[in-house]
Amino acid sequence: MAAPTGKSCRRAWAALVPAALLCLAARAAAEPAAEPGSAGFDVRPGGEVHSFSRSLGDHSCTFTYSAQGGTNEQWQMNVGISEDDGLFSCSIWRPQGKSYLFFTQFKAEVKGAKIEHAMAYSQAAVGAQNDIPLKQEEFEITETTVSHREGKFRFELSKLTIVAKTPRDEL
């Protein structure tokens, strides 16, 4: 069987790369809380801006938000690096699934890497429920951040995933 070339090869890579990135993010999200890059934190309502960060080596992820309604919710942040040090992942989510808080703003920022893929969700998968992604117009992605889009974001957030490419030192 001949190796794929030209357009078929590009199509194969176009399908493979996002799948690999999502697997890395899912692996980071599934790791137990005792892992070194994993931590629980409270998302606190009240309208004030709060931040939570985790670092792993030269890479970090910071989640900044403001929320209203209800009481504190327990959330989780996992950061990880691929075995070849080529990808850094950051997953932020509410383990119980859907958040009941009203988010007025959010931003997740990575340092030491450039975002290759990111997604925001109004509901995190739990039990028989699936992840429900936000509409693309509700958030924006830059080289280093994922954040709400003013006037378009519908105030629901339960999960963020980021996979970023780390810089390579070429010999």
Side-chain angles (χ1 to χ4, degrees):
M1 176 181 204
T5 60
K7 288 184 181 179
S8 65
C9 184
R10 282 190 295 276
R11 268 188 248 128
W13 275 108
L16 182 62
V17 170
L21 295 175
L22 287 173
C23 286
L24 180 64
R27 188 179 120 204
E31 291 174 355
E35 292 294 319
S38 185
F41 65 100
D42 281 338
V43 168
R44 298 173 292 198
E48 294 179 26
V49 175
H50 299 280
S51 290
F52 184 80
S53 297
R54 294 296 293 169
S55 295
L56 197 57
D58 295 333
H59 314 291
S60 68
C61 181
T62 301
F63 177 55
T64 303
Y65 68 91
S66 176
Q68 293 283 359
T71 58
N72 292 357
E73 288 182 345
Q74 182 65 34
W75 281 53
Q76 187 78 26
M77 179 186 284
N78 283 10
V79 293
I81 296 181
S82 63
E83 288 182 18
D84 68 355
D85 292 330
L87 298 173
F88 172 70
S89 66
C90 176
S91 299
I92 305 153
W93 79 102
R94 182 165 194 253
Q96 291 80 13
K98 190 165 180 62
S99 173
Y100 56 82
L101 296 177
F102 181 86
F103 283 83
T104 55
Q105 62 178 320
F106 75 85
K107 178 172 80 171
E109 181 175 15
V110 295
K111 291 189 177 167
K114 291 184 180 177
I115 294 175
E116 289 284 311
H117 177 80
M119 194 58 182
Y121 301 88
S122 62
Q123 176 178 298
V126 64
Q129 297 176 336
N130 294 321
D131 286 337
I132 298 176
L134 295 182
K135 293 181 179 174
Q136 275 309 131
E137 73 245 15
E138 291 186 73
F139 65 101
E140 56 192 351
I141 303 168
T142 69
E143 280 191 349
T144 58
T145 65
V146 179
S147 59
H148 74 286
R149 188 168 282 155
E150 197 71 43
K152 301 284 185 180
F153 176 55
R154 294 190 178 120
F155 311 106
E156 293 182 295
L157 183 69
S158 293
K159 181 178 179 180
L160 287 167
T161 58
I162 297 172
V163 178
K165 192 170 188 167
T166 61
R168 292 268 187 188
D169 290 334
E170 298 296 327
L171 297 177

Short mmCIF file of all heavy atoms in Angstrom, two decimals, residues 27-90:
data_model
loop_
_atom_site.label_atom_id
_atom_site.label_comp_id
_atom_site.label_asym_id
_atom_site.label_seq_id
_atom_site.Cartn_x
_atom_site.Cartn_y
_atom_site.Cartn_z
N ARG A 27 -6.97 13.39 28.58
CA ARG A 27 -6.12 12.67 29.52
C ARG A 27 -5.80 13.54 30.73
O ARG A 27 -5.85 13.09 31.86
CB ARG A 27 -4.84 12.22 28.82
CG ARG A 27 -4.00 11.31 29.68
CD ARG A 27 -2.77 10.87 28.95
NE ARG A 27 -1.65 11.34 29.74
CZ ARG A 27 -0.45 11.55 29.29
NH1 ARG A 27 -0.19 11.38 28.02
NH2 ARG A 27 0.49 11.96 30.08
N ALA A 28 -5.50 14.81 30.46
CA ALA A 28 -5.20 15.72 31.58
C ALA A 28 -6.44 15.90 32.46
O ALA A 28 -6.34 15.94 33.67
CB ALA A 28 -4.73 17.07 31.05
N ALA A 29 -7.63 16.00 31.84
CA ALA A 29 -8.86 16.19 32.61
C ALA A 29 -9.22 14.95 33.41
O ALA A 29 -9.85 15.05 34.46
CB ALA A 29 -10.01 16.56 31.67
N ALA A 30 -8.81 13.76 32.95
CA ALA A 30 -9.16 12.51 33.62
C ALA A 30 -8.18 12.12 34.71
O ALA A 30 -8.44 11.21 35.48
CB ALA A 30 -9.25 11.38 32.60
N GLU A 31 -7.05 12.81 34.81
CA GLU A 31 -6.06 12.46 35.82
C GLU A 31 -6.60 12.70 37.22
O GLU A 31 -7.31 13.67 37.45
CB GLU A 31 -4.78 13.28 35.63
CG GLU A 31 -4.02 12.90 34.38
CD GLU A 31 -2.83 13.81 34.12
OE1 GLU A 31 -2.64 14.80 34.87
OE2 GLU A 31 -2.11 13.53 33.17
N PRO A 32 -6.26 11.84 38.17
CA PRO A 32 -6.74 12.06 39.53
C PRO A 32 -6.14 13.31 40.15
O PRO A 32 -5.08 13.77 39.77
CB PRO A 32 -6.28 10.80 40.28
CG PRO A 32 -5.31 10.11 39.40
CD PRO A 32 -5.49 10.63 38.00
N ALA A 33 -6.86 13.85 41.13
CA ALA A 33 -6.46 15.11 41.76
C ALA A 33 -5.11 15.03 42.47
O ALA A 33 -4.51 16.04 42.75
CB ALA A 33 -7.54 15.57 42.75
N ALA A 34 -4.61 13.83 42.75
CA ALA A 34 -3.33 13.70 43.45
C ALA A 34 -2.13 13.95 42.53
O ALA A 34 -1.01 14.02 42.99
CB ALA A 34 -3.23 12.31 44.06
N GLU A 35 -2.34 14.05 41.23
CA GLU A 35 -1.25 14.29 40.29
C GLU A 35 -0.64 15.65 40.54
O GLU A 35 -1.32 16.59 40.94
CB GLU A 35 -1.78 14.20 38.85
CG GLU A 35 -2.20 12.81 38.43
CD GLU A 35 -1.05 11.83 38.38
OE1 GLU A 35 0.04 12.19 37.91
OE2 GLU A 35 -1.25 10.68 38.81
N PRO A 36 0.67 15.82 40.26
CA PRO A 36 1.36 17.08 40.56
C PRO A 36 0.78 18.29 39.83
O PRO A 36 0.80 19.38 40.37
CB PRO A 36 2.79 16.83 40.10
CG PRO A 36 2.92 15.38 39.81
CD PRO A 36 1.55 14.80 39.73
N GLY A 37 0.26 18.14 38.62
CA GLY A 37 -0.28 19.28 37.87
C GLY A 37 -1.76 19.50 38.09
O GLY A 37 -2.41 20.21 37.34
N SER A 38 -2.32 18.92 39.13
CA SER A 38 -3.76 18.94 39.35
C SER A 38 -4.10 19.61 40.69
O SER A 38 -3.40 19.41 41.68
CB SER A 38 -4.27 17.51 39.36
OG SER A 38 -5.65 17.46 39.45
N ALA A 39 -5.16 20.40 40.70
CA ALA A 39 -5.59 21.03 41.95
C ALA A 39 -7.06 21.43 41.88
O ALA A 39 -7.56 21.81 40.83
CB ALA A 39 -4.75 22.27 42.23
N GLY A 40 -7.72 21.34 43.02
CA GLY A 40 -9.08 21.82 43.15
C GLY A 40 -9.06 23.25 43.66
O GLY A 40 -8.12 23.67 44.34
N PHE A 41 -10.09 24.01 43.30
CA PHE A 41 -10.21 25.38 43.79
C PHE A 41 -11.68 25.77 43.80
O PHE A 41 -12.50 25.15 43.13
CB PHE A 41 -9.39 26.36 42.92
CG PHE A 41 -9.86 26.49 41.49
CD1 PHE A 41 -10.64 27.58 41.10
CD2 PHE A 41 -9.53 25.54 40.53
CE1 PHE A 41 -11.07 27.70 39.79
CE2 PHE A 41 -9.94 25.67 39.22
CZ PHE A 41 -10.71 26.75 38.84
N ASP A 42 -12.00 26.79 44.58
CA ASP A 42 -13.37 27.29 44.66
C ASP A 42 -13.58 28.42 43.66
O ASP A 42 -12.79 29.36 43.62
CB ASP A 42 -13.69 27.83 46.06
CG ASP A 42 -13.98 26.73 47.06
OD1 ASP A 42 -14.35 25.61 46.64
OD2 ASP A 42 -13.84 26.98 48.26
N VAL A 43 -14.64 28.31 42.86
CA VAL A 43 -15.09 29.44 42.05
C VAL A 43 -16.08 30.18 42.93
O VAL A 43 -17.07 29.61 43.38
CB VAL A 43 -15.73 28.97 40.72
CG1 VAL A 43 -16.43 30.12 40.03
CG2 VAL A 43 -14.67 28.36 39.82
N ARG A 44 -15.76 31.44 43.20
CA ARG A 44 -16.53 32.22 44.17
C ARG A 44 -17.36 33.28 43.46
O ARG A 44 -16.82 34.09 42.71
CB ARG A 44 -15.58 32.89 45.15
CG ARG A 44 -14.80 31.87 45.96
CD ARG A 44 -13.75 32.52 46.80
NE ARG A 44 -12.72 33.08 45.90
CZ ARG A 44 -11.51 33.41 46.28
NH1 ARG A 44 -11.16 33.31 47.52
NH2 ARG A 44 -10.65 33.88 45.41
N PRO A 45 -18.68 33.29 43.72
CA PRO A 45 -19.51 34.35 43.17
C PRO A 45 -19.32 35.65 43.96
O PRO A 45 -18.57 35.67 44.93
CB PRO A 45 -20.93 33.81 43.33
CG PRO A 45 -20.84 32.88 44.50
CD PRO A 45 -19.45 32.32 44.49
N GLY A 46 -19.99 36.68 43.54
CA GLY A 46 -19.91 37.96 44.25
C GLY A 46 -19.51 39.11 43.35
O GLY A 46 -19.44 40.25 43.79
N GLY A 47 -19.22 38.82 42.09
CA GLY A 47 -18.92 39.89 41.14
C GLY A 47 -17.48 40.36 41.12
O GLY A 47 -17.10 41.16 40.28
N GLU A 48 -16.65 39.88 42.06
CA GLU A 48 -15.25 40.28 42.06
C GLU A 48 -14.46 39.41 41.09
O GLU A 48 -14.82 38.27 40.83
CB GLU A 48 -14.65 40.12 43.46
CG GLU A 48 -15.24 41.05 44.49
CD GLU A 48 -14.63 40.84 45.86
OE1 GLU A 48 -13.48 40.38 45.94
OE2 GLU A 48 -15.32 41.13 46.84
N VAL A 49 -13.34 39.94 40.59
CA VAL A 49 -12.48 39.19 39.69
C VAL A 49 -11.53 38.35 40.53
O VAL A 49 -10.89 38.85 41.46
CB VAL A 49 -11.68 40.13 38.75
CG1 VAL A 49 -10.70 39.35 37.90
CG2 VAL A 49 -12.65 40.94 37.87
N HIS A 50 -11.47 37.05 40.24
CA HIS A 50 -10.60 36.10 40.94
C HIS A 50 -9.74 35.37 39.92
O HIS A 50 -10.12 35.24 38.76
CB HIS A 50 -11.43 35.06 41.71
CG HIS A 50 -12.31 35.63 42.76
ND1 HIS A 50 -11.85 35.99 44.00
CD2 HIS A 50 -13.64 35.91 42.75
CE1 HIS A 50 -12.86 36.47 44.72
NE2 HIS A 50 -13.95 36.42 43.98
N SER A 51 -8.60 34.85 40.37
CA SER A 51 -7.71 34.08 39.51
C SER A 51 -7.20 32.85 40.24
O SER A 51 -7.07 32.86 41.46
CB SER A 51 -6.50 34.91 39.08
OG SER A 51 -6.87 35.92 38.19
N PHE A 52 -6.91 31.81 39.45
CA PHE A 52 -6.30 30.60 39.97
C PHE A 52 -5.29 30.13 38.94
O PHE A 52 -5.56 30.14 37.73
CB PHE A 52 -7.35 29.50 40.21
CG PHE A 52 -6.78 28.27 40.82
CD1 PHE A 52 -6.53 28.20 42.18
CD2 PHE A 52 -6.45 27.18 40.03
CE1 PHE A 52 -5.98 27.06 42.75
CE2 PHE A 52 -5.90 26.04 40.59
CZ PHE A 52 -5.66 25.98 41.95
N SER A 53 -4.09 29.71 39.39
CA SER A 53 -3.01 29.32 38.47
C SER A 53 -2.37 28.01 38.88
O SER A 53 -2.34 27.66 40.06
CB SER A 53 -1.90 30.38 38.47
OG SER A 53 -2.37 31.59 37.99
N ARG A 54 -1.84 27.32 37.88
CA ARG A 54 -1.02 26.13 38.08
C ARG A 54 0.15 26.23 37.12
O ARG A 54 0.00 26.70 35.99
CB ARG A 54 -1.76 24.83 37.78
CG ARG A 54 -2.90 24.52 38.71
CD ARG A 54 -2.51 24.28 40.13
NE ARG A 54 -1.72 23.06 40.28
CZ ARG A 54 -1.08 22.72 41.37
NH1 ARG A 54 -1.11 23.51 42.42
NH2 ARG A 54 -0.39 21.62 41.43
N SER A 55 1.31 25.77 37.57
CA SER A 55 2.51 25.77 36.73
C SER A 55 3.09 24.37 36.68
O SER A 55 2.93 23.57 37.61
CB SER A 55 3.57 26.70 37.32
OG SER A 55 3.13 28.03 37.27
N LEU A 56 3.77 24.10 35.58
CA LEU A 56 4.46 22.84 35.40
C LEU A 56 5.70 23.15 34.57
O LEU A 56 5.59 23.50 33.40
CB LEU A 56 3.55 21.83 34.69
CG LEU A 56 3.92 20.36 34.75
CD1 LEU A 56 4.05 19.86 36.18
CD2 LEU A 56 2.87 19.53 34.02
N GLY A 57 6.84 23.10 35.22
CA GLY A 57 8.08 23.47 34.54
C GLY A 57 8.05 24.94 34.15
O GLY A 57 7.72 25.80 34.96
N ASP A 58 8.35 25.22 32.89
CA ASP A 58 8.37 26.59 32.38
C ASP A 58 7.00 27.06 31.88
O ASP A 58 6.89 28.13 31.28
CB ASP A 58 9.37 26.71 31.22
CG ASP A 58 10.80 26.48 31.68
OD1 ASP A 58 11.09 26.74 32.86
OD2 ASP A 58 11.62 26.04 30.85
N HIS A 59 5.97 26.26 32.10
CA HIS A 59 4.64 26.56 31.56
C HIS A 59 3.64 26.82 32.69
O HIS A 59 3.74 26.21 33.75
CB HIS A 59 4.15 25.39 30.71
CG HIS A 59 5.20 24.89 29.76
ND1 HIS A 59 5.62 25.62 28.69
CD2 HIS A 59 5.92 23.76 29.75
CE1 HIS A 59 6.56 24.95 28.05
NE2 HIS A 59 6.76 23.81 28.68
N SER A 60 2.69 27.70 32.42
CA SER A 60 1.65 27.96 33.43
C SER A 60 0.32 28.22 32.75
O SER A 60 0.26 28.56 31.57
CB SER A 60 2.04 29.14 34.32
OG SER A 60 2.03 30.33 33.57
N CYS A 61 -0.73 28.05 33.54
CA CYS A 61 -2.09 28.31 33.09
C CYS A 61 -2.78 29.10 34.20
O CYS A 61 -2.72 28.71 35.37
CB CYS A 61 -2.82 26.99 32.84
SG CYS A 61 -4.52 27.18 32.24
N THR A 62 -3.42 30.21 33.84
CA THR A 62 -4.14 31.05 34.80
C THR A 62 -5.58 31.22 34.34
O THR A 62 -5.82 31.60 33.19
CB THR A 62 -3.47 32.43 34.94
OG1 THR A 62 -2.12 32.25 35.35
CG2 THR A 62 -4.21 33.30 35.94
N PHE A 63 -6.51 30.93 35.23
CA PHE A 63 -7.94 31.11 34.97
C PHE A 63 -8.40 32.32 35.77
O PHE A 63 -8.28 32.35 36.99
CB PHE A 63 -8.70 29.85 35.41
CG PHE A 63 -10.20 29.94 35.26
CD1 PHE A 63 -10.79 30.27 34.05
CD2 PHE A 63 -11.03 29.65 36.34
CE1 PHE A 63 -12.17 30.33 33.92
CE2 PHE A 63 -12.41 29.71 36.22
CZ PHE A 63 -12.98 30.04 35.00
N THR A 64 -8.90 33.34 35.07
CA THR A 64 -9.40 34.56 35.69
C THR A 64 -10.88 34.68 35.34
O THR A 64 -11.26 34.48 34.19
CB THR A 64 -8.62 35.78 35.17
OG1 THR A 64 -7.23 35.57 35.43
CG2 THR A 64 -9.07 37.07 35.84
N TYR A 65 -11.70 35.03 36.32
CA TYR A 65 -13.15 35.06 36.10
C TYR A 65 -13.83 36.01 37.07
O TYR A 65 -13.26 36.42 38.09
CB TYR A 65 -13.74 33.66 36.29
CG TYR A 65 -13.66 33.22 37.74
CD1 TYR A 65 -14.70 33.48 38.63
CD2 TYR A 65 -12.51 32.61 38.23
CE1 TYR A 65 -14.60 33.13 39.96
CE2 TYR A 65 -12.41 32.26 39.57
CZ TYR A 65 -13.45 32.52 40.43
OH TYR A 65 -13.35 32.18 41.75
N SER A 66 -15.07 36.29 36.76
CA SER A 66 -15.99 36.97 37.67
C SER A 66 -17.33 36.26 37.51
O SER A 66 -17.75 35.99 36.38
CB SER A 66 -16.10 38.45 37.30
OG SER A 66 -17.05 39.09 38.12
N ALA A 67 -17.98 35.94 38.63
CA ALA A 67 -19.25 35.21 38.58
C ALA A 67 -20.23 35.77 39.61
O ALA A 67 -19.82 36.38 40.60
CB ALA A 67 -19.02 33.73 38.84
N GLN A 68 -21.50 35.51 39.37
CA GLN A 68 -22.60 35.95 40.25
C GLN A 68 -23.49 34.76 40.58
O GLN A 68 -23.54 33.79 39.83
CB GLN A 68 -23.45 37.02 39.56
CG GLN A 68 -22.76 38.33 39.31
CD GLN A 68 -22.64 39.17 40.58
OE1 GLN A 68 -23.10 38.79 41.65
NE2 GLN A 68 -22.00 40.31 40.45
N GLY A 69 -24.23 34.88 41.68
CA GLY A 69 -25.27 33.91 42.02
C GLY A 69 -24.77 32.74 42.85
O GLY A 69 -23.62 32.34 42.74
N GLY A 70 -25.64 32.20 43.69
CA GLY A 70 -25.34 30.99 44.43
C GLY A 70 -24.20 31.11 45.42
O GLY A 70 -23.92 32.18 45.97
N THR A 71 -23.56 29.98 45.67
CA THR A 71 -22.44 29.90 46.61
C THR A 71 -21.23 29.33 45.88
O THR A 71 -21.31 29.01 44.70
CB THR A 71 -22.80 28.99 47.80
OG1 THR A 71 -23.12 27.69 47.29
CG2 THR A 71 -23.96 29.54 48.60
N ASN A 72 -20.14 29.19 46.60
CA ASN A 72 -18.92 28.65 45.99
C ASN A 72 -19.18 27.31 45.31
O ASN A 72 -19.98 26.51 45.80
CB ASN A 72 -17.84 28.43 47.05
CG ASN A 72 -17.32 29.71 47.63
OD1 ASN A 72 -17.70 30.80 47.24
ND2 ASN A 72 -16.43 29.58 48.61
N GLU A 73 -18.48 27.08 44.20
CA GLU A 73 -18.50 25.79 43.53
C GLU A 73 -17.08 25.24 43.52
O GLU A 73 -16.13 25.98 43.33
CB GLU A 73 -18.95 25.92 42.07
CG GLU A 73 -20.39 26.23 41.88
CD GLU A 73 -20.78 26.29 40.41
OE1 GLU A 73 -19.90 26.36 39.52
OE2 GLU A 73 -21.99 26.26 40.15
N GLN A 74 -16.95 23.94 43.70
CA GLN A 74 -15.64 23.29 43.61
C GLN A 74 -15.33 23.00 42.13
O GLN A 74 -16.13 22.39 41.43
CB GLN A 74 -15.64 21.98 44.41
CG GLN A 74 -14.30 21.27 44.41
CD GLN A 74 -13.19 22.04 45.11
OE1 GLN A 74 -13.42 22.74 46.08
NE2 GLN A 74 -11.98 21.91 44.62
N TRP A 75 -14.20 23.50 41.66
CA TRP A 75 -13.73 23.30 40.29
C TRP A 75 -12.37 22.61 40.35
O TRP A 75 -11.77 22.49 41.41
CB TRP A 75 -13.62 24.63 39.55
CG TRP A 75 -14.94 25.15 39.05
CD1 TRP A 75 -16.08 25.34 39.77
CD2 TRP A 75 -15.25 25.55 37.72
NE1 TRP A 75 -17.08 25.84 38.97
CE2 TRP A 75 -16.59 25.98 37.70
CE3 TRP A 75 -14.51 25.60 36.54
CZ2 TRP A 75 -17.21 26.44 36.54
CZ3 TRP A 75 -15.13 26.07 35.39
CH2 TRP A 75 -16.48 26.47 35.40
N GLN A 76 -11.88 22.18 39.20
CA GLN A 76 -10.62 21.47 39.09
C GLN A 76 -9.79 22.07 37.96
O GLN A 76 -10.34 22.48 36.94
CB GLN A 76 -10.92 20.00 38.77
CG GLN A 76 -9.74 19.08 38.79
CD GLN A 76 -9.33 18.71 40.20
OE1 GLN A 76 -10.13 18.73 41.13
NE2 GLN A 76 -8.06 18.41 40.38
N MET A 77 -8.47 22.13 38.16
CA MET A 77 -7.56 22.52 37.08
C MET A 77 -6.47 21.47 36.98
O MET A 77 -5.88 21.10 37.99
CB MET A 77 -6.92 23.89 37.31
CG MET A 77 -5.95 24.27 36.17
SD MET A 77 -5.01 25.80 36.46
CE MET A 77 -6.25 27.04 36.14
N ASN A 78 -6.25 20.96 35.78
CA ASN A 78 -5.16 20.03 35.51
C ASN A 78 -4.27 20.63 34.44
O ASN A 78 -4.78 21.15 33.42
CB ASN A 78 -5.68 18.70 34.99
CG ASN A 78 -6.25 17.83 36.07
OD1 ASN A 78 -6.45 18.25 37.19
ND2 ASN A 78 -6.53 16.58 35.72
N VAL A 79 -2.97 20.57 34.66
CA VAL A 79 -2.01 20.95 33.62
C VAL A 79 -1.11 19.74 33.38
O VAL A 79 -0.87 18.94 34.28
CB VAL A 79 -1.17 22.19 34.02
CG1 VAL A 79 -2.05 23.43 34.10
CG2 VAL A 79 -0.43 21.98 35.32
N GLY A 80 -0.67 19.59 32.14
CA GLY A 80 0.18 18.46 31.79
C GLY A 80 1.06 18.79 30.60
O GLY A 80 0.79 19.73 29.85
N ILE A 81 2.11 18.01 30.45
CA ILE A 81 3.02 18.15 29.32
C ILE A 81 3.15 16.79 28.67
O ILE A 81 3.28 15.77 29.36
CB ILE A 81 4.40 18.68 29.78
CG1 ILE A 81 4.25 20.08 30.36
CG2 ILE A 81 5.40 18.68 28.62
CD1 ILE A 81 5.52 20.72 30.83
N SER A 82 3.13 16.76 27.34
CA SER A 82 3.27 15.50 26.61
C SER A 82 4.64 14.90 26.87
O SER A 82 5.58 15.59 27.29
CB SER A 82 3.05 15.73 25.11
OG SER A 82 4.04 16.59 24.60
N GLU A 83 4.77 13.59 26.63
CA GLU A 83 6.02 12.90 26.88
C GLU A 83 7.20 13.50 26.13
O GLU A 83 8.32 13.48 26.62
CB GLU A 83 5.87 11.41 26.55
CG GLU A 83 5.01 10.67 27.55
CD GLU A 83 4.91 9.19 27.26
OE1 GLU A 83 5.74 8.66 26.50
OE2 GLU A 83 3.99 8.57 27.80
N ASP A 84 6.96 14.04 24.95
CA ASP A 84 8.05 14.63 24.16
C ASP A 84 8.24 16.12 24.45
O ASP A 84 9.01 16.80 23.78
CB ASP A 84 7.83 14.40 22.67
CG ASP A 84 6.64 15.17 22.12
OD1 ASP A 84 5.90 15.83 22.91
OD2 ASP A 84 6.43 15.13 20.90
N ASP A 85 7.53 16.64 25.46
CA ASP A 85 7.58 18.06 25.84
C ASP A 85 7.11 19.00 24.73
O ASP A 85 7.38 20.19 24.79
CB ASP A 85 8.99 18.48 26.30
CG ASP A 85 9.39 17.82 27.62
OD1 ASP A 85 8.49 17.54 28.43
OD2 ASP A 85 10.59 17.59 27.81
N GLY A 86 6.41 18.48 23.75
CA GLY A 86 5.96 19.31 22.63
C GLY A 86 4.64 20.01 22.86
O GLY A 86 4.35 21.03 22.23
N LEU A 87 3.80 19.48 23.76
CA LEU A 87 2.49 20.05 24.01
C LEU A 87 2.25 20.26 25.50
O LEU A 87 2.62 19.43 26.33
CB LEU A 87 1.39 19.15 23.46
CG LEU A 87 1.39 18.90 21.96
CD1 LEU A 87 0.35 17.84 21.59
CD2 LEU A 87 1.13 20.18 21.19
N PHE A 88 1.63 21.38 25.83
CA PHE A 88 1.22 21.71 27.20
C PHE A 88 -0.29 21.78 27.20
O PHE A 88 -0.89 22.40 26.31
CB PHE A 88 1.82 23.06 27.60
CG PHE A 88 1.33 23.59 28.92
CD1 PHE A 88 1.70 22.99 30.11
CD2 PHE A 88 0.50 24.71 28.97
CE1 PHE A 88 1.24 23.48 31.33
CE2 PHE A 88 0.05 25.21 30.18
CZ PHE A 88 0.43 24.59 31.36
N SER A 89 -0.93 21.13 28.16
CA SER A 89 -2.40 21.17 28.21
C SER A 89 -2.87 21.75 29.54
O SER A 89 -2.20 21.63 30.57
CB SER A 89 -2.98 19.77 28.03
OG SER A 89 -2.64 18.95 29.12
N CYS A 90 -4.01 22.40 29.47
CA CYS A 90 -4.65 22.97 30.66
C CYS A 90 -6.15 22.70 30.54
O CYS A 90 -6.76 23.07 29.53
CB CYS A 90 -4.38 24.47 30.73
SG CYS A 90 -5.22 25.27 32.13
#
